[in-house]
Amino acid sequence: MRLKRLFLLDMRFQAKYGFYFLYAILTAIYTIVLFALPEHWRGKAAAILIFSDPASMGLFFMGAIVLLEKSQHTPCVLAVSPVRAAEYVIAKVGSLSVVSLAVAAALALAAGVDDLPMVLSGTLLSSVIFTLFGIMIAAQIGSLNQFILWTVPVEAACFVPAVLHLFKVTPAWCGYYPVNVCMDMVSGHYPSAAGFFLAAAMTALLFVRSRFCVLQMWERMGGVKL
């Protein structure tokens, strides 16, 4: 019940501050761009658009979301409430994943992809990974400028290898790199079992770490879970 309420509160928060309106506009723009491209370019273009925006939404916006919550003293309330850090993380991941999947589905359909379920599965996995990265960083910063600086290494480590992998510039063994596995799925290709296992293991580790970062944030805000 607590998790459901947190999830709904996060969705209301995002709607209040214009997240859905923004992505409705962006989806329309991206769709126009895709239709303007030659048909044989649309598949890769859609994969890049999905991976670099809706799938990574949590990395870009989590700083603003958490900083707004801090300005409203929401972490202080959560720290002394029955809410668990894991529930907080899951609610954030789940609410942003809903938006990511909706935008990705629209772009994939516009590009005419052959395997929509695989694209959406890759989007979901990517969204979870990037949102967890965003939570880890946002829980430890005090300003938006700090958040932007801290996300630069993550962006470099995730986006550059994934785009190079999409265009087959990197060696074959790079296909096991978790973000490259995500890019394979977003582009409609089935990943190797070993690659998917590594991506899942990385997701689990990020979840544990993000939960710990949230607990630290709550303690700094003046509350300790007993």
Side-chain angles (χ1 to χ4, degrees):
M1 184 62 72
R2 288 197 306 262
L3 183 57
K4 179 182 177 181
R5 288 178 179 173
L6 282 173
F7 177 82
L8 293 176
L9 283 172
D10 278 335
M11 295 197 73
R12 289 174 188 168
F13 181 91
Q14 293 156 19
K16 178 181 178 181
Y17 287 98
F19 282 74
Y20 300 156
F21 177 71
L22 171 64
Y23 269 91
I25 294 175
L26 288 176
T27 303
I29 293 172
Y30 292 155
T31 301
I32 292 170
V33 170
L34 287 174
F35 279 122
L37 292 173
E39 189 172 347
H40 61 280
W41 289 7
R42 290 178 188 169
K44 283 186 168 55
I48 293 173
L49 285 174
I50 292 170
F51 187 82
S52 63
D53 195 348
S56 57
M57 179 191 308
L59 179 62
F60 297 135
F61 287 106
M62 193 53 64
I65 291 172
V66 174
L67 285 171
L68 277 170
E69 289 183 346
K70 287 180 179 179
S71 71
Q72 297 169 355
H73 304 291
T74 303
C76 296
V77 176
L78 293 174
V80 295
S81 73
V83 173
R84 299 181 181 276
E87 294 170 338
Y88 176 88
V89 173
I90 293 171
K92 287 282 185 292
V93 170
S95 60
L96 288 176
S97 293
V98 170
V99 186
S100 297
L101 289 172
V103 177
L107 296 181
L109 291 172
V113 299
D114 295 325
D115 196 339
L116 182 60
M118 179 55 63
V119 173
L120 295 182
S121 297
T123 302
L124 178 60
L125 180 60
S126 304
S127 178
V128 172
I129 289 174
F130 283 119
T131 302
L132 291 175
F133 269 125
I135 292 171
M136 287 166 50
I137 298 171
Q140 301 178 69
I141 53 92
S143 72
L144 195 56
N145 287 338
Q146 280 184 328
F147 182 80
I148 293 171
L149 287 174
W150 283 36
T151 56
V152 169
V154 178
E155 293 172 14
C158 294
F159 296 130
V160 175
V163 173
L164 293 177
H165 178 70
L166 177 66
F167 289 98
K168 304 188 184 302
V169 177
T170 53
W173 57 266
C174 289
Y176 298 107
Y177 188 46
V179 292
N180 291 353
V181 172
C182 293
M183 178 59 91
D184 280 336
M185 296 174 69
V186 167
S187 59
H189 300 127
Y190 283 81
S192 65
F196 184 79
F197 174 79
L198 290 174
M202 176 183 175
T203 304
L205 290 173
L206 289 175
F207 176 79
V208 172
R209 179 61 186 172
S210 61
R211 175 185 171 278
F212 176 74
C213 290
V214 168
L215 285 173
Q216 285 187 319
M217 176 179 69
W218 287 355
E219 289 176 7
R220 288 194 299 271
M221 299 297 287
V224 180
K225 290 291 184 183
L226 300 178

